[in-house]
Amino acid sequence: MRLTRSRGVAALFMTAAAAFDLQGHRGARGLAPENTLPAFARALAIGVTTLELDCAVTRDGVVVVAHDRRLNPDITRGPDGRWLDGPGPLIGSLDYAELVRYDVGRIRPGSGYGKRFPDQVPVDGARIPRLADVFALARRAGNDTVRFNIETKIDPTQPADTLGAEDFARALVKVVRAAGTARRTTIQSFDWRTLKVVQAKAPEIATVYLSAADTIPPGGADSPWTAGVHLRDHGSVPAMVKAAGGAIWSPPFGELAPALVAEAHRLGLAVIPWTVNAPADIERLLDFGVDGIISDYPDRARATLAARGIALPAPTPLEH
Ligand code: MG
């Protein structure tokens, strides 16, 4: 069988990452402010295979690292030092110079979000970084093997909030290529339209298919998230990923079961669930035979993997 170029690249990716893909979610959200340089530095110091991160594009076209389309009041203080009192402006409505006036180095004290991450050590003054800054950070750490799993934060039901799928994906690809990290990068999305663009325009970059019950309702209507690939036609999410030309499937870990992992593997897909934080869950998912784990606590995941004798990447702390 002739492999398409993108599938060939994905196969290479899977070979290179074959050991086990330990991914630090938003850097290491459980330990340091999400999607900030301190969080990525923390993950590099722990030793991860992959830095997982989310991206947005500013009004002036800068690809930045942030999870939410609007500034999130749970983690954002304005230029005046005060917490935002509700959802802030769209990142796409701000120039980069305006965006970096906001502080995202601490979770709002007393918030429900903060209670979920009691061990996160704040870094007051941390800013939303550019994607290019994350690549530069890894270089400064002397790490030229860490991978980058970069999510396009775009919602097909909210088209006015961001660039369209084509422009969003193109902006991201441009930054990845400029950094020379294409072969160490995967682009992931719940919005499979962006993955289609990447496959067409940048076949050297592997794609990752995110799913969740919210975006692919079981037994529900056709989803706007999956670029015309529908559950009713394929019967399961792994079969949808395969039909869409994917090689890597990233479901929420709570929706996984051994039979689904086995089905995905039969289809030739790697399975990398998110966001697995409790040691018992990490153990359970490893027992399912997953190919990687995305965790807010890469230190915990690493300890579990080490106890099983699984090969791990070297830590690369910045302080040396
Ligand atoms: Mg993400």
Side-chain angles (χ1 to χ4, degrees), residues 25-26 35 52-55 67 149-153 188 190 210 275 294:
H25 186 240
R26 306 188 198 179
N35 282 323
E52 193 278 345
L53 54 109
D54 310 287
C55 71
H67 180 267
N149 186 19
I150 305 169
E151 184 176 348
T152 58
K153 280 299 183 191
Q188 51 167 337
F190 291 103
L210 287 164
T275 303
I294 303 174

Side-chain angles (χ1 to χ4, degrees), residues 4-320:
T4 62
R5 183 143 183 246
S6 63
R7 284 184 191 177
V9 168
L12 277 178
F13 165 82
M14 289 168 67
T15 305
F20 189 84
D21 192 359
L22 168 58
Q23 302 201 9
H25 186 240
R26 306 188 198 179
R29 174 170 60 165
L31 307 170
E34 65 181 72
N35 282 323
T36 64
L37 294 184
F40 298 117
R42 186 83 174 85
L44 291 169
I46 289 166
V48 295
T49 322
T50 302
L51 299 173
E52 193 278 345
L53 54 109
D54 310 287
C55 71
V57 184
T58 63
R59 182 170 58 190
D60 54 343
V62 178
V63 179
V64 296
V65 182
H67 180 267
D68 305 286
R69 298 190 304 282
R70 290 180 179 279
L71 291 174
N72 177 352
D74 279 342
I75 58 170
T76 311
R77 283 166 284 171
D80 58 2
R82 295 187 177 188
W83 292 96
L84 300 188
D85 52 15
L90 288 165
I91 290 177
S93 74
L94 300 173
D95 284 343
Y96 174 67
E98 296 173 285
L99 184 66
V100 294
R101 298 176 68 208
Y102 292 86
D103 185 330
V104 292
R106 177 183 290 269
I107 300 179
R108 180 200 293 264
S111 65
Y113 194 54
K115 291 191 180 78
R116 286 176 55 199
F117 300 103
D119 300 331
Q120 188 188 100
V121 178
V123 182
D124 290 323
R127 297 316 202 224
I128 290 178
R130 292 170 295 200
L131 175 58
D133 297 330
V134 180
F135 294 139
L137 180 84
R139 278 198 299 275
R140 281 208 303 284
N143 190 327
D144 59 5
T145 55
V146 73
R147 292 174 174 277
F148 306 91
N149 186 19
I150 305 169
E151 184 176 348
T152 58
K153 280 299 183 191
I154 172 173
D155 182 335
T157 71
Q158 305 294 329
D161 280 6
T162 63
L163 291 179
E166 174 96 20
D167 290 341
F168 197 129
R170 279 176 180 272
L172 175 50
V173 163
K174 194 172 167 195
V175 177
V176 171
R177 284 183 170 161
T181 51
R183 289 181 191 284
R184 287 192 283 140
T185 293
T186 48
I187 293 179
Q188 51 167 337
S189 196
F190 291 103
D191 186 342
W192 296 5
R193 295 175 307 163
T194 56
L195 306 181
K196 226 173 170 172
V197 177
V198 172
Q199 288 169 357
K201 309 292 178 194
E204 77 277 24
I205 300 176
T207 49
V208 178
Y209 286 74
L210 287 164
S211 70
D214 288 347
T215 58
I216 308 177
D222 289 353
S223 167
W225 292 88
T226 50
V229 179
H230 298 303
L231 187 57
R232 69 182 146 82
D233 296 326
H234 300 283
S236 74
V237 180
M240 290 173 70
V241 173
K242 181 71 177 175
I248 306 167
W249 175 39
S250 247
F253 80 90
E255 295 179 16
L256 262 187
L260 274 172
V261 176
E263 182 190 355
H265 284 168
R266 274 198 306 277
L267 292 167
L269 307 179
V271 182
I272 304 183
W274 49 277
T275 303
V276 197
N277 291 339
D281 289 329
I282 295 169
E283 296 278 8
R284 190 162 51 86
L285 271 292
L286 291 175
D287 289 343
F288 287 4
V290 297
D291 303 281
I293 275 183
I294 303 174
S295 181
D296 290 316
Y297 300 89
D299 54 341
R300 291 182 191 167
R302 193 178 160 101
T304 306
L305 294 166
R308 292 188 179 217
I310 293 171
L312 292 163
T316 54
L318 275 134
E319 318 64 51
H320 62 244

